[in-house]
Amino acid sequence: MLYKNTKLLIKINTKILKIHRGGKTMKKIILLLTLVFAVAFMGACGQSKANGSNGDSGKKEKVLIMGTSADFPPFETRDTSGNVVGFDVDLGNYIAKKLGYKLEVKDMKFDGLIGALQSKRVDMVLSGMSATEDRKKNVDFSTPYHHSGEMFVTKKDSSIKAVDDLKGKTIGVQLGSIQEEGAKNLQKTVKFNTKAMDDSTTLIQELLSNRIQAAYLDKSVAEGYIKNQGLIGFDDPTSSSPGMGIAFPKGSNLVDDVNKIIKELQDSGKMDEMKAKWIKNN
């Protein structure tokens, strides 16, 4: 394109010179000069568009970054191919699509998720996170999208059958979780030790290795481990979990739109379909 334009410019310049030598008027010279600049501009535009630096081909897809901790099945975990999957991921993808975004999932430690929101490294957190009053001081939450309560998980031969049996035992909790807070409240009436770990998978490994005597988990998560690992458990009758919410940076303009989508999912029954896929069939 550049080569052809150059040849054309040479021809036009030659014609200008001939006109000037022949004593033609200045008006014709100005007209031809205008043609020169028009041809050069059109060539440059064509070159730019071909490279994708101008026009629709250069537009970038909008991305919504979701923070999670992929150690909390069935809400978030990794499949055999290493992909992050689960109820929260399906919900995140649905929300992103409705809002016109492509979802990007960032996997990190649970106790670092609030900080990631505050530093704007992620746009929202979907990680089975309970919307506690303490957390609300630092982030904004959507309306609750799930509520399951808490549960203690033990080995089948354990003598721990109720909260009072926890006395003198070591209980595993996930670092930064609502169960860690709940354990501290329980310790006021029942004296036991706690061992905080980064993820629920490690808690179960510690339980199976007899390094802890019980794991304190979200009920939906606990039921999955009970079924898959041949464990037993019982509900925590003292807990009153506020339910799981989607967390956002303070003042995020996404909260209202996401609340509308959650209500739509609940009213249409699609939320129950998602729960049946991941939680009820866990």
Side-chain angles (χ1 to χ4, degrees):
M1 175 64 78
L2 185 60
Y3 173 72
K4 289 181 180 178
N5 287 342
T6 302
K7 287 181 69 178
L8 182 58
L9 289 174
I10 291 170
K11 286 182 181 180
I12 293 171
N13 283 332
T14 302
K15 193 169 183 179
I16 290 172
L17 288 173
K18 285 180 180 178
I19 291 172
H20 182 67
R21 286 172 185 167
K24 298 292 182 179
T25 65
M26 184 62 71
K27 285 184 179 180
K28 289 186 178 182
I29 294 174
I30 292 171
L31 180 62
L32 285 169
L33 282 173
T34 303
L35 179 62
V36 169
F37 287 118
V39 170
F41 178 75
M42 288 171 67
C45 288
Q47 189 82 11
S48 174
K49 238 177 188 182
N51 291 333
S53 60
N54 198 10
D56 291 342
S57 59
K59 285 183 179 179
K60 291 184 178 179
E61 193 172 12
K62 294 193 299 180
V63 175
L64 186 67
I65 303 174
M66 167 184 149
T68 195
S69 181
D71 52 59
F72 202 59
F75 295 95
E76 41 272 330
T77 189
R78 288 190 178 273
D79 62 15
T80 53
S81 300
N83 301 309
V84 181
V85 296
F87 174 76
D88 282 343
V89 180
D90 280 7
L91 180 56
N93 271 307
Y94 185 91
I95 289 169
K97 187 176 180 180
K98 288 288 287 186
L99 294 176
Y101 291 92
K102 176 183 177 182
L103 187 72
E104 178 183 331
V105 179
K106 284 193 174 182
D107 184 15
M108 58 189 72
K109 290 183 179 180
F110 186 83
D111 63 339
L113 290 170
I114 296 292
L117 281 172
Q118 291 177 311
S119 60
K120 304 293 178 70
R121 285 181 286 130
V122 298
D123 300 307
M124 65 179 184
V125 162
L126 261 159
S127 195
M129 184 176 284
S130 297
T132 64
E133 293 304 316
D134 279 346
R135 288 176 180 151
K136 286 179 181 179
K137 295 173 184 175
N138 299 303
V139 298
D140 288 338
F141 278 99
S142 69
T143 52
Y145 64 88
H146 181 71
H147 187 284
S148 56
E150 280 68 53
M151 196 170 190
F152 290 96
V153 177
T154 64
K155 294 176 72 174
K156 277 188 175 179
D157 59 357
S158 173
S159 61
I160 302 173
K161 308 295 181 183
V163 172
D164 289 340
D165 298 332
L166 297 172
K167 185 177 179 180
K169 304 295 194 297
T170 300
I171 311 304
V173 294
Q174 185 174 10
L175 194 64
S177 68
I178 190 172
Q179 289 79 34
E180 184 180 27
E181 295 177 26
K184 289 176 182 176
N185 289 328
L186 277 173
Q187 284 175 314
K188 296 173 184 177
T189 54
V190 182
K191 302 301 178 184
F192 58 85
N193 301 313
T194 58
K195 187 174 183 179
M197 282 159 273
D198 287 331
D199 56 73
S200 60
T201 305
T202 306
L203 287 178
I204 297 303
Q205 290 171 352
E206 292 287 290
L207 176 63
L208 294 172
S209 302
N210 297 315
R211 286 190 283 269
I212 61 174
Q213 285 73 59
Y216 191 30
L217 298 164
D218 173 86
K219 185 174 180 177
S220 297
V221 176
E223 287 172 339
Y225 284 122
I226 287 170
K227 179 181 177 181
N228 296 324
Q229 299 291 341
L231 301 168
I232 61 172
F234 59 92
D235 292 342
D236 174 12
T238 66
S239 67
S240 55
S241 173
M244 297 175 184
I246 304 172
F248 300 90
K250 276 288 186 185
S252 172
N253 56 13
L254 290 172
V255 179
D256 288 342
D257 289 337
V258 170
N259 282 341
K260 290 176 185 176
I261 294 172
I262 290 174
K263 187 176 187 306
E264 171 198 308
L265 284 167
Q266 291 169 337
D267 291 346
S268 66
K270 190 168 181 63
M271 187 74 83
D272 289 332
E273 290 176 19
M274 290 184 182
K275 289 180 181 181
K277 174 185 174 182
W278 288 105
I279 300 172
K280 293 178 183 177
N281 298 327
N282 180 25

